[in-house]
Amino acid sequence: MGESLRLLRSRGFHPVAARTPRRVFMGSLPCTKGPVPVKLTIEDWNFLEYPRISLAERPAFLPALMPHVDVLGHLCYFAPGAVTLDSYDPAIALAQCLDQATVMLDRIAADPEYRIDDIQSEFPAHWEYGQLSLPWTVFLGDIQPQATTAKYFIMRQGERKHALVSCDPDEAHRLARTLGAAVTASRYRCWLLQTTVPPRVPAQMPRTVKELFAWVRSWDCTLYAGIQKALGEKDYLQQTYAAFAVKTLVGWLGFGFDLDQLKRLGYANSPKRYRNYLHNAGGAQHLFRMALREVGSRFVHNRNLSYKDLYNQRVTVVGCGAIGSFVAAALVRLGAGTGKLGRLKLIDPDDLGPENLGRHVLGYPALMQTKAGALTDELLRQFPHSAIEAHACSAFDHSQLFAAELIVDATGEESVSEYLNRLRLQRGTPTPLLHVWIRGNGESVQALWADSEGGACYRCLLVPNARVHRQERFPLLKTEPLRRTDGCRAYTPYAVSAPMHAAALASDMVCAWLQGDPSPRFRTRSQENADVYKVKSQNLTRMAGCPACARP
Ligand SMILES: [Zn+2]
């Protein structure tokens, strides 16, 4: 710590009294336009949290509304996690922080464009936290693009209470059920608007209705007109609070204000007079800036992808054992079962036994239930807005098997995979069939994407050879896998990591398909220390003489 204290002293910082282990120093940052007085607070000498630098006072050359500075004057000079400070060299770490804060303030002071761009891109954060009291968080469901109002629902979980703005009572009930909350529909509505104009950065965020009007008018006159139109109609006067949610390019902004009780009743039939009042004396009414948190399935399944998800696609998973359970869990996260047309079908005739639990996504609560049914229940509990169907039957008894945009064969059983392959070829279906399986005792996982575009079929992975039974086209394992018997059932031991590995491979191929091309269509991934031959991942041509797909 001595080194750090010397550094701070050399930069003109002096300690002030604080409760240990917190250390507080006052000093100033040497910005180009002049010194900026700051307070430096160090609570965590491991630097998992960056030292806090806050403005002690704001010099005139810095604007009132600054990017990366919150309402309490705290500077966000590094985005959380952006830089790892070296706790073994705290003096250097502190120097990095002070230098970065100085650079940031210099940019804010020198370059108005930088200030505007950065506030614009983080606008919802300024909107929500640029006020002295923390905003009330309101959940926002899936909002249809054409919706003009949505309802407020109140969800109670013991002591906790959440508001949800949603266009769909079913969505509210599904969410409440999965949260174990009681839900009530309130009479309140929230008006919905949207704009494609980036938010205009104001000198400071609006605090009153009048300031809101002036700011929105300078930002987007269509949006302004939308607000005025809503305030010119009777409906909002039936509630004691007017609420608006605006969809912008950088996220949703929510705001609302209380309505004057006597006036709203008096003007119940002449809303334009109430609006007029808001433009005059009523404009001093305090504006609440809400923190809207999207919780709808469109947001949840889209947020982490830079391409489309499985929205509106019909996906079937054959096999809900070790591999299939992890595959289904991944597909549902990729949006399978969402959208009006979307369906995720899970097919498996078997029950979940104790022998499965050690490498399945489900646990004891599902014991002795059908794998398909229990997996469906669990995934619906986690993702209540997805349409998931259980079919506890053999895939071959399922007449609608190929009525899908994608089928995943996660049975990991060669005989079943071959039969599915044969059905696909016989029916001439355009639906792609993704086979995924585990090799040996989990040394490798492999997958083949087969469709009607002319590449190899599942059986093309064997070489037709009268002298060698089932000769592999691409030999992989160097040694015979360990087999065990359990009563009269033989099985191949492998750890839970193997089906997870297989599911990751299958998910990557589905993501590649969503981006337009599932190549390489035949993929092999092996463990680092596995005793296997290297098999190149590639697009395969058909095998000459393949008994399944060779043309007669
Ligand atoms: Zn073939």
Side-chain angles (χ1 to χ4, degrees), residues 135 163 205 309 360 404 427 499-500 546:
M205 290 295 174
D309 62 1
H360 200 275
R427 303 211 183 155
M500 293 172 88
C546 168

Side-chain angles (χ1 to χ4, degrees), residues 511-530:
C511 290
W513 173 62
L514 288 169
Q515 291 168 87
D517 182 7
S519 300
R521 288 157 183 249
F522 174 55
R523 302 192 192 188
T524 302
R525 289 184 187 168
S526 298
Q527 287 200 48
E528 294 74 9
N529 54 359

Side-chain angles (χ1 to χ4, degrees), residues 457 459-460 546 548-549:
C457 82
R459 180 64 197 230
C460 292
C546 168
C549 72

Side-chain angles (χ1 to χ4, degrees), residues 20 86-87 102 130 141 170 220 243 274 308 312 316 339 345-346 367 370 373-374 395 413 449 457 482 486 505 521:
T20 48
D86 188 353
S87 58
T102 309
D170 289 342
D220 176 359
Y274 197 97
K308 65 172 187 174
N312 268 341
T316 298
K345 272 189 203 173
L346 305 179
L367 192 61
T370 65
E413 284 183 47
W449 185 279
C457 82
L482 178 70
D486 185 3
L505 174 61
R521 288 157 183 249

